[in-house]
Amino acid sequence: MLEFSVLASGSSGNAVYIKTDQTSLLLDVGISGRQVQQRLQAAANAKLEDIDAILVTHEHIDHVRGLKQAVKVSDAKIYTTQGTWHHVYRQVEEHCSPDRVTWVVADQPFTVGDIKVTPFSVSHDAEEPVAYRFDAGDDSLAVVTDLGYVSDHIKQVIQDCAAYVWEANHDVDMLRAGRYPWSVKRRILGDKGHLSNYDCAVALADILGDRLVEVYLAHLSEENNQPDLAELTVQSVLREIKSSYGEQVRLHRTARHTATTLRAL
Ligand SMILES: [Zn+2]
Ligand SMILES: [Zn+2]
């Protein structure tokens, strides 16, 4: 049985806890070590010291802020692409012997305990960013954030999951009308930026089969989005594409400052 909790989500920090009975891992450590400890405890009665592996998606600070502390207090193996490692190793090398690190290559699945992990490339303004799909027995989860668009290849890789943590970063109109400088707006809206609420819904509709899916809307911008608006947009775009999609997709919220309830798939 695969279980997960989104410990934090948003441009201020991201981390997801994923576990089975035998294995536990952290996907990104974008909040402080202390916050990770508190939220692991609150959501799952778990401890950083017991984590088996830390997987990193890319080097942006909202994904690696607490990495040093997490590496220091645990014996967890570290998984990152070579490109990401190049940017983060200085933060962690004093606490991390080389044999703890495994380089991840897109489209080359590996296992951590009894969890199969499939990394795939995403288009984002980092050196070698990836996102991951997790499978244990019949349970599956994909965490898809920090990407400018969802390619056909990604849609194939993440098909048929029971649950998704899926980026709904911004409302395009709020972003356009907002106070960010144009260069930043262009970056967010571009191919290497972030998915809007609308992009999220359209890509999601493309991969829906017949099963019911749990979707955790993630990485919401504090400045250019609101949880109600994200939910409403995704819901209404899905219904517009096919009326039954409204019932087939169960939307959930994630938050900046609290972990989501541990969810069993
Ligand atoms: Zn991010
Ligand atoms: Zn990023």
Side-chain angles (χ1 to χ4, degrees):
M1 185 170 67
L2 203 56
E3 294 176 274
F4 72 97
S5 164
V6 180
L7 302 180
S9 189
S11 38
S12 52
N14 297 276
V16 185
Y17 173 64
I18 298 162
K19 73 175 283 272
T20 63
D21 288 343
Q22 298 165 37
T23 311
S24 63
L25 54 87
L26 269 182
L27 173 63
D28 288 333
V29 196
I31 49 178
S32 72
R34 194 169 54 86
Q35 287 170 325
V36 173
Q37 287 288 30
Q38 286 167 349
R39 295 184 203 185
L40 277 175
Q41 177 69 44
N45 201 17
K47 286 196 189 76
L48 201 41
E49 289 80 349
D50 300 329
I51 296 288
D52 299 305
I54 297 168
L55 281 65
V56 183
T57 57
H58 65 297
E59 66 270 23
H60 289 162
I61 189 70
D62 57 318
H63 297 261
V64 298
R65 186 176 284 110
L67 184 62
K68 180 178 175 177
Q69 189 62 19
V71 167
K72 190 175 161 187
V73 306
S74 74
D75 296 321
K77 301 266 189 213
I78 322 293
Y79 294 82
T80 105
T81 62
Q82 207 171 339
T84 299
W85 181 245
H86 177 71
H87 290 270
V88 303
Y89 78 91
R90 282 188 201 87
Q91 291 176 42
V92 298
E93 63 182 345
E94 66 173 301
H95 307 295
C96 185
S97 60
D99 63 337
R100 278 177 69 184
V101 183
T102 303
W103 284 336
V104 162
V105 178
D107 301 319
Q108 294 189 10
F110 55 94
T111 54
V112 179
D114 57 349
I115 301 178
K116 179 186 173 197
V117 182
T118 307
F120 49 92
S121 288
V122 291
S123 175
H124 190 55
D125 56 349
E127 188 166 333
E128 194 186 350
V130 286
Y132 298 91
R133 173 187 174 135
F134 303 91
D135 288 88
D138 292 334
D139 298 335
S140 48
L141 162 74
V143 180
V144 190
T145 71
D146 297 78
L147 69 174
Y149 67 98
V150 184
S151 67
D152 289 344
H153 176 65
I154 294 177
K155 288 175 193 165
Q156 246 168 25
V157 175
I158 64 176
Q159 207 128 45
D160 300 324
C161 286
Y164 297 94
V165 176
W166 201 306
E167 178 164 72
N169 176 258
H170 56 275
D171 173 78
V172 174
D173 293 335
M174 277 180 81
L175 176 67
R176 283 186 190 278
R179 64 185 177 97
Y180 281 6
W182 176 240
S183 58
V184 178
K185 292 181 183 177
R186 201 167 48 190
R187 182 204 146 234
I188 296 171
L189 290 165
D191 270 2
K192 294 191 161 191
H194 293 277
L195 295 182
S196 69
N197 298 335
Y198 180 83
D199 297 333
C200 167
V202 169
L204 191 55
D206 275 348
I207 61 152
L208 283 176
D210 299 327
R211 77 190 291 184
L212 193 70
V213 293
E214 310 293 335
V215 175
Y216 287 68
L217 297 177
H219 215 301
L220 268 68
S221 164
E222 192 162 25
E223 183 82 23
N224 302 308
N225 210 352
Q226 278 165 6
D228 287 343
L229 179 62
E231 221 170 89
L232 199 71
T233 306
V234 172
Q235 188 72 252
S236 60
V237 173
L238 283 170
R239 277 183 204 278
E240 224 169 277
I241 295 170
K242 195 174 171 186
S243 59
S244 61
Y245 284 171
E247 285 76 54
Q248 209 183 319
V249 175
R250 287 211 292 237
L251 296 178
H252 304 269
R253 293 185 183 191
T254 60
R256 240 160 262 280
H257 303 297
T258 48
T260 60
T261 309
L262 189 67
R263 168 112 210 176
L265 294 176

